[in-house]
Coordinates of all heavy atoms in Angstrom, one line a residue:
M1 N -30.3 10.9 -3.9 CA -30.2 9.5 -4.3 C -30.2 8.6 -3.0 O -29.7 9.1 -1.9 CB -28.9 9.2 -5.0 CG -28.7 7.8 -5.4 SD -27.3 7.6 -6.6 CE -28.2 7.2 -8.0
A2 N -30.7 7.5 -3.0 CA -30.8 6.6 -1.8 C -29.5 6.3 -1.3 O -28.5 6.1 -2.0 CB -31.6 5.3 -2.2
G3 N -29.4 6.1 0.1 CA -28.2 5.8 0.7 C -27.3 6.9 1.0 O -26.1 6.8 1.4
G4 N -27.7 8.2 0.7 CA -26.9 9.3 0.9 C -25.8 9.5 -0.1 O -24.9 10.3 0.1
K5 N -25.9 8.9 -1.2 CA -24.8 9.0 -2.3 C -25.1 10.3 -3.1 O -26.1 10.4 -3.8 CB -24.8 7.8 -3.2 CG -23.7 7.9 -4.2 CD -23.6 6.5 -4.9 CE -22.5 6.6 -5.9 NZ -22.3 5.4 -6.6
S6 N -24.3 11.3 -2.9 CA -24.4 12.5 -3.6 C -23.9 12.4 -5.1 O -23.0 11.6 -5.4 CB -23.6 13.6 -2.8 OG -23.2 14.6 -3.7
E7 N -24.5 13.1 -6.0 CA -24.1 13.1 -7.4 C -23.0 14.1 -7.7 O -22.4 14.0 -8.7 CB -25.3 13.4 -8.3 CG -26.3 12.3 -8.2 CD -25.8 11.0 -8.8 OE1 -25.0 10.9 -9.7 OE2 -26.2 9.9 -8.2
T8 N -22.7 15.0 -6.8 CA -21.7 16.0 -7.1 C -20.4 15.7 -6.3 O -20.5 15.1 -5.2 CB -22.2 17.4 -6.7 OG1 -22.6 17.4 -5.3 CG2 -23.4 17.9 -7.5
P9 N -19.3 16.1 -6.8 CA -18.0 15.9 -6.1 C -18.0 16.6 -4.8 O -18.5 17.7 -4.7 CB -16.9 16.4 -7.0 CG -17.6 16.7 -8.3 CD -19.1 16.8 -8.1
V10 N -17.4 16.0 -3.8 CA -17.4 16.6 -2.4 C -15.9 16.9 -2.1 O -15.1 16.0 -2.3 CB -18.0 15.7 -1.4 CG1 -17.8 16.2 0.0 CG2 -19.4 15.4 -1.7
S11 N -15.7 18.1 -1.7 CA -14.3 18.5 -1.4 C -14.1 18.4 0.2 O -14.7 19.0 0.9 CB -14.1 20.0 -1.8 OG -12.8 20.4 -1.4
L12 N -13.3 17.4 0.5 CA -13.0 17.1 1.9 C -11.5 17.4 2.2 O -10.6 17.0 1.4 CB -13.3 15.7 2.3 CG -14.8 15.3 2.2 CD1 -15.0 13.8 2.3 CD2 -15.6 16.0 3.2
S13 N -11.2 18.0 3.4 CA -9.8 18.2 3.8 C -9.2 16.9 4.2 O -9.9 15.9 4.4 CB -9.8 19.2 4.9 OG -10.3 18.6 6.1
D14 N -7.9 16.9 4.3 CA -7.1 15.7 4.7 C -7.6 15.3 6.1 O -7.8 14.1 6.4 CB -5.6 15.9 4.7 CG -5.1 16.0 3.3 OD1 -5.7 15.5 2.4 OD2 -3.9 16.5 3.2
R15 N -7.8 16.3 7.0 CA -8.3 16.0 8.4 C -9.7 15.4 8.3 O -9.9 14.4 9.1 CB -8.3 17.3 9.2 CG -8.8 17.1 10.6 CD -8.0 16.1 11.4 NE -7.0 16.9 12.1 CZ -6.1 16.4 12.9 NH1 -6.0 15.1 13.1 NH2 -5.2 17.1 13.5
E16 N -10.6 15.9 7.5 CA -11.9 15.3 7.4 C -11.8 13.8 6.9 O -12.6 13.0 7.4 CB -12.8 16.1 6.5 CG -13.2 17.5 7.1 CD -13.8 18.4 6.1 OE1 -13.6 18.4 4.9 OE2 -14.6 19.3 6.6
L17 N -11.0 13.6 5.9 CA -10.8 12.2 5.4 C -10.2 11.3 6.5 O -10.7 10.1 6.7 CB -9.9 12.2 4.2 CG -10.5 12.8 3.0 CD1 -9.5 12.9 1.9 CD2 -11.7 12.0 2.5
Q18 N -9.4 11.8 7.3 CA -8.8 11.1 8.5 C -9.9 10.7 9.5 O -10.0 9.6 10.0 CB -7.7 12.0 9.1 CG -6.9 11.3 10.2 CD -5.8 12.2 10.7 OE1 -5.9 13.4 10.7 NE2 -4.7 11.6 11.1
I19 N -10.8 11.7 9.7 CA -11.8 11.5 10.7 C -12.8 10.4 10.1 O -13.3 9.6 10.9 CB -12.5 12.8 11.1 CG1 -11.5 13.6 12.0 CG2 -13.9 12.6 11.8 CD1 -12.0 15.0 12.4
I20 N -13.1 10.5 8.8 CA -14.0 9.5 8.2 C -13.4 8.1 8.4 O -14.1 7.2 8.7 CB -14.3 9.8 6.7 CG1 -15.2 11.1 6.6 CG2 -14.9 8.7 6.0 CD1 -15.3 11.6 5.2
D21 N -12.1 8.0 8.2 CA -11.5 6.7 8.3 C -11.6 6.2 9.8 O -11.9 5.0 10.0 CB -10.0 6.9 8.0 CG -9.3 5.5 7.9 OD1 -9.8 4.6 7.2 OD2 -8.2 5.4 8.5
L22 N -11.5 7.1 10.8 CA -11.6 6.7 12.2 C -13.0 6.3 12.5 O -13.3 5.4 13.3 CB -11.0 7.7 13.1 CG -9.5 7.9 12.9 CD1 -9.0 9.2 13.7 CD2 -8.7 6.7 13.3
V23 N -14.0 7.1 12.0 CA -15.4 6.8 12.2 C -15.7 5.4 11.6 O -16.4 4.6 12.2 CB -16.3 7.9 11.6 CG1 -17.8 7.4 11.5 CG2 -16.2 9.2 12.3
S24 N -15.2 5.1 10.4 CA -15.4 3.9 9.8 C -14.8 2.7 10.5 O -15.2 1.6 10.5 CB -14.8 3.9 8.4 OG -15.4 4.9 7.6
A25 N -13.7 3.0 11.3 CA -13.1 2.0 12.2 C -13.9 1.7 13.4 O -13.5 0.9 14.2 CB -11.7 2.4 12.5
G26 N -15.0 2.5 13.7 CA -15.8 2.3 14.8 C -15.5 3.1 16.0 O -16.0 2.9 17.1
L27 N -14.6 4.1 15.9 CA -14.2 4.9 17.1 C -15.3 5.9 17.4 O -15.9 6.4 16.5 CB -12.9 5.6 16.8 CG -11.6 4.9 17.1 CD1 -11.4 3.6 16.2 CD2 -10.4 5.8 16.9
T28 N -15.4 6.2 18.7 CA -16.3 7.2 19.1 C -15.6 8.6 18.9 O -14.4 8.7 18.7 CB -16.7 7.1 20.6 OG1 -15.4 7.3 21.4 CG2 -17.2 5.7 20.9
N29 N -16.4 9.7 19.1 CA -15.8 11.0 19.0 C -14.7 11.2 20.0 O -13.7 11.8 19.7 CB -16.9 12.1 19.1 CG -17.8 12.1 17.8 OD1 -17.7 11.2 17.0 ND2 -18.6 13.1 17.7
Q30 N -15.0 10.7 21.2 CA -14.0 10.9 22.3 C -12.7 10.1 21.9 O -11.6 10.6 22.2 CB -14.6 10.4 23.6 CG -13.7 10.7 24.8 CD -13.5 12.2 25.1 OE1 -14.5 12.9 25.1 NE2 -12.3 12.6 25.2
E31 N -12.8 8.9 21.4 CA -11.7 8.1 21.0 C -10.9 8.8 19.9 O -9.7 8.8 19.8 CB -12.1 6.7 20.6 CG -12.6 5.9 21.8 CD -13.3 4.6 21.4 OE1 -13.9 4.5 20.3 OE2 -13.3 3.7 22.2
I32 N -11.7 9.3 18.9 CA -11.0 10.1 17.8 C -10.2 11.3 18.3 O -9.1 11.5 17.9 CB -12.1 10.5 16.8 CG1 -12.7 9.3 16.1 CG2 -11.5 11.5 15.7 CD1 -13.9 9.6 15.2
A33 N -10.9 12.0 19.2 CA -10.2 13.2 19.8 C -8.9 12.8 20.5 O -7.8 13.4 20.3 CB -11.1 13.8 20.8
G34 N -8.9 11.7 21.3 CA -7.7 11.2 21.9 C -6.6 10.8 20.9 O -5.4 11.1 21.1
K35 N -7.0 10.1 19.9 CA -6.1 9.6 18.9 C -5.4 10.7 18.1 O -4.2 10.7 17.8 CB -6.8 8.6 17.9 CG -5.9 7.9 17.0 CD -6.6 6.8 16.3 CE -5.7 5.9 15.5 NZ -4.9 5.0 16.3
L36 N -6.2 11.8 17.8 CA -5.7 12.9 17.0 C -5.2 14.0 17.9 O -4.7 15.0 17.4 CB -6.8 13.4 16.1 CG -7.4 12.4 15.1 CD1 -8.4 13.1 14.2 CD2 -6.2 11.9 14.2
E37 N -5.3 13.9 19.2 CA -4.9 14.9 20.2 C -5.5 16.2 19.9 O -4.9 17.3 19.9 CB -3.3 15.0 20.2 CG -2.7 13.7 20.6 CD -1.2 13.8 20.6 OE1 -0.6 14.8 20.1 OE2 -0.5 12.8 21.1
I38 N -6.9 16.2 19.8 CA -7.7 17.4 19.6 C -8.9 17.2 20.6 O -9.1 16.1 21.1 CB -8.2 17.6 18.2 CG1 -9.0 16.4 17.7 CG2 -7.0 17.9 17.2 CD1 -9.5 16.6 16.2
S39 N -9.6 18.3 20.8 CA -10.8 18.2 21.7 C -11.9 17.4 21.1 O -12.1 17.4 19.8 CB -11.2 19.6 22.1 OG -11.9 20.2 21.0
K40 N -12.8 16.9 21.9 CA -14.0 16.2 21.4 C -14.9 17.2 20.7 O -15.5 16.8 19.7 CB -14.7 15.5 22.6 CG -16.0 14.8 22.1 CD -16.8 14.3 23.3 CE -18.1 13.8 22.8 NZ -19.0 14.8 22.3
R41 N -14.9 18.4 21.2 CA -15.8 19.4 20.5 C -15.3 19.6 19.1 O -16.1 19.8 18.2 CB -15.8 20.7 21.3 CG -16.7 21.7 20.7 CD -16.9 22.9 21.6 NE -17.7 23.8 20.9 CZ -18.5 24.6 21.5 NH1 -18.6 24.6 22.8 NH2 -19.3 25.5 20.9
T42 N -14.0 19.6 18.9 CA -13.4 19.8 17.5 C -13.8 18.7 16.7 O -14.2 18.9 15.5 CB -11.9 20.0 17.6 OG1 -11.6 21.1 18.4 CG2 -11.3 20.1 16.2
V43 N -13.8 17.4 17.2 CA -14.2 16.3 16.4 C -15.7 16.4 16.1 O -16.1 16.1 15.0 CB -14.0 15.0 17.2 CG1 -14.5 13.8 16.5 CG2 -12.5 14.8 17.4
D44 N -16.5 16.8 17.1 CA -18.0 17.0 16.9 C -18.2 18.0 15.7 O -19.0 17.7 14.8 CB -18.6 17.6 18.1 CG -18.6 16.6 19.3 OD1 -18.4 15.4 19.1 OD2 -18.8 17.1 20.4
N45 N -17.4 19.1 15.7 CA -17.6 20.1 14.6 C -17.2 19.5 13.3 O -17.9 19.7 12.3 CB -16.8 21.3 15.0 CG -17.4 22.1 16.1 OD1 -18.6 22.1 16.3 ND2 -16.6 22.9 16.7
H46 N -16.1 18.8 13.2 CA -15.6 18.1 12.0 C -16.7 17.2 11.5 O -17.0 17.2 10.3 CB -14.3 17.4 12.2 CG -13.1 18.2 12.2 ND1 -12.7 19.0 11.1 CD2 -12.1 18.3 13.1 CE1 -11.6 19.6 11.4 NE2 -11.1 19.2 12.6
I47 N -17.2 16.4 12.3 CA -18.2 15.4 11.9 C -19.5 16.1 11.4 O -20.1 15.7 10.4 CB -18.5 14.3 13.0 CG1 -17.3 13.4 13.1 CG2 -19.8 13.5 12.7 CD1 -17.4 12.4 14.2
S48 N -19.9 17.1 12.1 CA -21.1 17.9 11.6 C -20.8 18.5 10.2 O -21.7 18.4 9.4 CB -21.3 19.0 12.6 OG -22.4 19.8 12.2
N49 N -19.6 19.0 10.0 CA -19.3 19.6 8.7 C -19.2 18.5 7.6 O -19.7 18.7 6.5 CB -17.9 20.3 8.8 CG -18.0 21.6 9.6 OD1 -19.1 22.1 9.8 ND2 -16.9 22.0 10.1
I50 N -18.7 17.3 8.0 CA -18.6 16.2 7.1 C -20.0 15.7 6.7 O -20.3 15.5 5.5 CB -17.8 15.1 7.7 CG1 -16.3 15.5 7.8 CG2 -17.9 13.8 6.8 CD1 -15.5 14.6 8.7
L51 N -20.9 15.6 7.7 CA -22.2 15.1 7.4 C -22.9 16.1 6.4 O -23.7 15.7 5.5 CB -23.0 14.9 8.7 CG -22.6 13.8 9.6 CD1 -23.4 13.9 10.9 CD2 -22.7 12.5 8.9
T52 N -22.7 17.4 6.6 CA -23.3 18.4 5.8 C -22.8 18.3 4.4 O -23.5 18.3 3.4 CB -23.1 19.8 6.4 OG1 -23.7 19.9 7.6 CG2 -23.7 20.9 5.4
K53 N -21.4 18.2 4.3 CA -20.8 18.2 2.9 C -21.2 16.9 2.2 O -21.4 17.0 0.9 CB -19.3 18.2 3.1 CG -18.7 19.5 3.4 CD -17.2 19.4 3.5 CE -16.5 20.8 3.8 NZ -15.0 20.6 3.8
T54 N -21.3 15.8 2.8 CA -21.6 14.5 2.2 C -23.1 14.3 2.1 O -23.5 13.3 1.5 CB -21.0 13.4 2.9 OG1 -21.5 13.3 4.2 CG2 -19.4 13.5 2.9
Q55 N -23.9 15.2 2.6 CA -25.4 15.1 2.6 C -25.8 13.8 3.2 O -26.7 13.1 2.7 CB -25.9 15.2 1.2 CG -25.6 16.6 0.6 CD -26.0 16.7 -0.9 OE1 -26.6 15.8 -1.4 NE2 -25.8 17.9 -1.4
T56 N -25.2 13.4 4.3 CA -25.6 12.2 5.0 C -26.1 12.6 6.4 O -25.9 13.7 6.9 CB -24.3 11.2 5.2 OG1 -23.3 11.9 5.8 CG2 -23.9 10.7 3.9
E57 N -27.0 11.7 6.9 CA -27.7 12.1 8.2 C -27.1 11.5 9.4 O -27.4 12.0 10.5 CB -29.1 11.5 8.0 CG -29.9 12.2 6.9 CD -31.3 11.7 6.8 OE1 -31.8 11.0 7.8 OE2 -32.0 12.0 5.8
N58 N -26.2 10.5 9.3 CA -25.7 9.9 10.5 C -24.4 9.2 10.2 O -24.0 9.1 9.0 CB -26.7 9.0 11.2 CG -27.2 7.9 10.3 OD1 -26.4 7.2 9.6 ND2 -28.5 7.8 10.2
R59 N -23.7 8.6 11.2 CA -22.5 7.9 11.0 C -22.6 6.7 10.1 O -21.7 6.4 9.3 CB -21.9 7.5 12.4 CG -21.6 8.7 13.2 CD -21.3 8.3 14.7 NE -20.0 7.8 14.9 CZ -19.0 8.5 15.3 NH1 -19.1 9.8 15.5 NH2 -17.8 7.9 15.5
V60 N -23.7 6.0 10.2 CA -23.8 4.8 9.3 C -23.9 5.2 7.9 O -23.3 4.7 7.0 CB -25.1 4.0 9.8 CG1 -25.4 2.9 8.8 CG2 -24.9 3.4 11.2
A61 N -24.7 6.2 7.6 CA -24.9 6.7 6.2 C -23.5 7.3 5.8 O -23.2 7.2 4.6 CB -26.0 7.8 6.2
L62 N -22.8 7.9 6.6 CA -21.5 8.5 6.3 C -20.5 7.3 5.9 O -19.8 7.4 4.8 CB -20.9 9.3 7.4 CG -19.4 9.8 7.2 CD1 -19.4 10.7 6.0 CD2 -18.9 10.5 8.5
V63 N -20.5 6.2 6.6 CA -19.6 5.1 6.3 C -20.0 4.5 4.9 O -19.2 4.2 4.1 CB -19.6 4.1 7.4 CG1 -18.8 2.8 7.0 CG2 -19.0 4.6 8.7
R64 N -21.3 4.4 4.7 CA -21.8 3.9 3.4 C -21.4 4.8 2.3 O -20.9 4.3 1.3 CB -23.4 3.8 3.4 CG -23.9 2.6 4.3 CD -25.4 2.6 4.2 NE -25.7 2.6 2.7 CZ -26.6 1.9 2.2 NH1 -27.4 1.1 2.9 NH2 -26.9 1.9 0.9
W65 N -21.5 6.1 2.5 CA -21.1 7.1 1.5 C -19.6 6.9 1.2 O -19.1 6.9 0.1 CB -21.4 8.5 2.0 CG -20.9 9.6 1.1 CD1 -21.6 10.2 0.1 CD2 -19.6 10.2 1.1 NE1 -20.8 11.1 -0.6 CE2 -19.6 11.1 0.0 CE3 -18.4 10.0 1.8 CZ2 -18.5 11.9 -0.3 CZ3 -17.3 10.8 1.5 CH2 -17.3 11.7 0.5
A66 N -18.8 6.8 2.3 CA -17.3 6.7 2.2 C -17.0 5.4 1.4 O -16.0 5.4 0.6 CB -16.7 6.7 3.5
L67 N -17.7 4.3 1.6 CA -17.4 3.1 0.9 C -17.8 3.2 -0.6 O -17.1 2.8 -1.5 CB -18.2 1.9 1.5 CG -17.6 1.3 2.8 CD1 -18.6 0.4 3.5 CD2 -16.3 0.6 2.5
Q68 N -19.0 3.8 -0.8 CA -19.4 4.0 -2.2 C -18.5 4.9 -3.0 O -18.3 4.7 -4.2 CB -20.8 4.6 -2.2 CG -21.9 3.7 -1.7 CD -23.2 4.3 -1.5 OE1 -23.3 5.5 -1.3 NE2 -24.3 3.5 -1.5
W69 N -17.9 5.9 -2.4 CA -17.0 6.8 -3.1 C -15.5 6.5 -3.0 O -14.7 7.2 -3.4 CB -17.3 8.3 -2.6 CG -18.6 8.8 -3.1 CD1 -19.8 8.8 -2.5 CD2 -18.8 9.3 -4.4 NE1 -20.8 9.3 -3.3 CE2 -20.2 9.6 -4.5 CE3 -18.0 9.6 -5.5 CZ2 -20.7 10.2 -5.6 CZ3 -18.6 10.2 -6.7 CH2 -19.9 10.5 -6.7
G70 N -15.2 5.3 -2.4 CA -13.8 4.9 -2.3 C -13.0 5.7 -1.3 O -11.8 5.8 -1.5
K71 N -13.6 6.2 -0.3 CA -12.8 7.0 0.7 C -12.2 6.2 1.8 O -11.3 6.7 2.5 CB -13.7 8.2 1.2 CG -14.3 9.1 0.2 CD -13.3 9.8 -0.5 CE -13.9 10.8 -1.5 NZ -12.9 11.5 -2.4
V72 N -12.8 5.0 2.0 CA -12.3 4.1 3.1 C -12.2 2.7 2.5 O -12.8 2.3 1.6 CB -13.2 4.1 4.3 CG1 -13.2 5.5 5.0 CG2 -14.6 3.7 4.0
C73 N -11.4 1.9 3.3 CA -11.2 0.5 3.0 C -11.5 -0.2 4.3 O -10.9 0.0 5.3 CB -9.8 0.3 2.5 SG -9.4 -1.5 2.3
L74 N -12.5 -1.1 4.3 CA -12.8 -1.9 5.5 C -12.7 -3.4 5.3 O -13.4 -3.9 4.4 CB -14.3 -1.6 5.9 CG -14.6 -0.2 6.3 CD1 -16.1 0.0 6.6 CD2 -13.8 0.2 7.5
N75 N -11.8 -4.0 6.0 CA -11.6 -5.5 6.0 C -11.5 -6.0 4.5 O -12.3 -6.9 4.1 CB -12.8 -6.2 6.7 CG -12.8 -5.8 8.2 OD1 -11.7 -5.6 8.8 ND2 -14.0 -5.7 8.7
D76 N -10.7 -5.4 3.8 CA -10.5 -5.8 2.4 C -11.7 -5.5 1.5 O -11.8 -6.1 0.4 CB -10.0 -7.2 2.3 CG -8.6 -7.4 2.9 OD1 -7.8 -6.4 2.9 OD2 -8.4 -8.5 3.4
V77 N -12.7 -4.8 1.9 CA -13.8 -4.4 1.1 C -13.5 -3.0 0.5 O -13.1 -2.1 1.3 CB -15.1 -4.3 1.9 CG1 -16.2 -3.8 1.1 CG2 -15.5 -5.7 2.4
N78 N -13.6 -2.8 -0.7 CA -13.4 -1.5 -1.4 C -12.0 -1.2 -1.4 O -11.6 0.0 -1.4 CB -14.3 -0.5 -0.7 CG -14.6 0.7 -1.6 OD1 -14.9 0.5 -2.7 ND2 -14.6 1.9 -1.1
C79 N -11.1 -2.2 -1.4 CA -9.6 -1.9 -1.4 C -9.0 -2.3 -2.7 O -9.5 -3.2 -3.4 CB -9.0 -2.7 -0.3 SG -9.6 -2.4 1.3
C80 N -8.0 -1.6 -3.0 CA -7.2 -2.0 -4.2 C -5.7 -1.7 -3.9 O -5.4 -0.8 -3.1 CB -7.6 -1.2 -5.5 SG -7.4 0.5 -5.4
L81 N -4.8 -2.4 -4.6 CA -3.4 -2.2 -4.4 C -3.0 -1.1 -5.4 O -3.3 -1.2 -6.6 CB -2.6 -3.5 -4.6 CG -2.8 -4.6 -3.6 CD1 -2.0 -5.8 -4.0 CD2 -2.3 -4.1 -2.3
L82 N -2.2 -0.2 -4.9 CA -1.7 0.9 -5.7 C -0.5 0.3 -6.4 O 0.2 -0.7 -5.9 CB -1.3 2.1 -4.9 CG -2.4 2.7 -4.2 CD1 -1.9 3.9 -3.3 CD2 -3.4 3.3 -5.2
P83 N -0.1 0.8 -7.6 CA 1.0 0.2 -8.3 C 2.3 0.0 -7.5 O 3.0 -1.0 -7.7 CB 1.2 1.2 -9.5 CG -0.1 1.9 -9.6 CD -0.7 1.9 -8.3
N84 N 2.6 0.9 -6.6 CA 3.8 0.8 -5.8 C 3.7 -0.2 -4.7 O 4.7 -0.5 -4.0 CB 4.3 2.2 -5.3 CG 3.3 2.8 -4.4 OD1 2.2 2.4 -4.3 ND2 3.7 3.9 -3.7
Q85 N 2.5 -0.7 -4.4 CA 2.3 -1.7 -3.4 C 2.3 -3.1 -3.9 O 2.4 -4.1 -3.2 CB 0.9 -1.5 -2.7 CG 0.9 -0.2 -1.9 CD -0.5 0.0 -1.4 OE1 -1.5 -0.3 -2.0 NE2 -0.6 0.6 -0.2
I86 N 2.3 -3.3 -5.2 CA 2.3 -4.6 -5.8 C 3.7 -5.2 -5.8 O 4.7 -4.5 -6.2 CB 1.8 -4.6 -7.3 CG1 0.3 -4.1 -7.3 CG2 1.9 -6.0 -8.0 CD1 -0.2 -3.9 -8.7
E87 N 3.9 -6.4 -5.3 CA 5.2 -7.0 -5.2 C 5.6 -7.7 -6.5 O 4.9 -8.3 -7.2 CB 5.3 -8.0 -4.0 CG 5.0 -7.3 -2.7 CD 5.0 -8.2 -1.5 OE1 5.5 -9.3 -1.7 OE2 4.6 -7.8 -0.5

């Protein structure tokens, strides 16, 4: 499907979801590595695995995929309040 949106459910680990969130925030692999206190090579490997699992070709397509599937929230886009967050 156009835009890298896969029709099948994708199983991502908590770490992979964390990395997608940081990619969506605009961090480089080196910045992600520093923030998570892991090596840049480990981040590179995680991103490669994520791109394969999500059937996306690059970081932009990955962020689009994450927005479409509700995996990230950017500047109040694609966000919702959970019941325990409502005042």
Side-chain angles (χ1 to χ4, degrees):
M1 180 172 248
K5 186 172 177 181
S6 156
E7 290 298 322
T8 58
V10 175
S11 177
L12 297 168
S13 70
D14 288 341
R15 177 63 93 182
E16 289 170 331
L17 290 171
Q18 188 177 29
I19 289 175
I20 289 172
D21 190 50
L22 295 172
V23 167
S24 298
L27 275 63
T28 66
N29 289 10
Q30 188 65 50
E31 291 168 333
I32 293 169
K35 188 166 187 77
L36 298 180
E37 298 179 349
I38 58 178
S39 75
K40 180 187 171 293
R41 183 171 178 148
T42 299
V43 175
D44 294 342
N45 288 335
H46 278 305
I47 290 179
S48 178
N49 292 336
I50 292 166
L51 293 175
T52 298
K53 286 182 177 184
T54 59
Q55 299 175 0
T56 53
E57 296 180 14
N58 55 51
R59 295 165 82 92
V60 172
L62 175 60
V63 172
R64 288 183 50 139
W65 177 91
L67 284 167
Q68 289 170 338
W69 286 96
K71 303 297 183 186
V72 295
C73 172
L74 297 174
N75 299 327
D76 296 330
V77 173
N78 206 38
C79 301
C80 64
L81 290 177
L82 299 176
N84 62 348
Q85 294 176 324
I86 299 173
E87 296 179 15

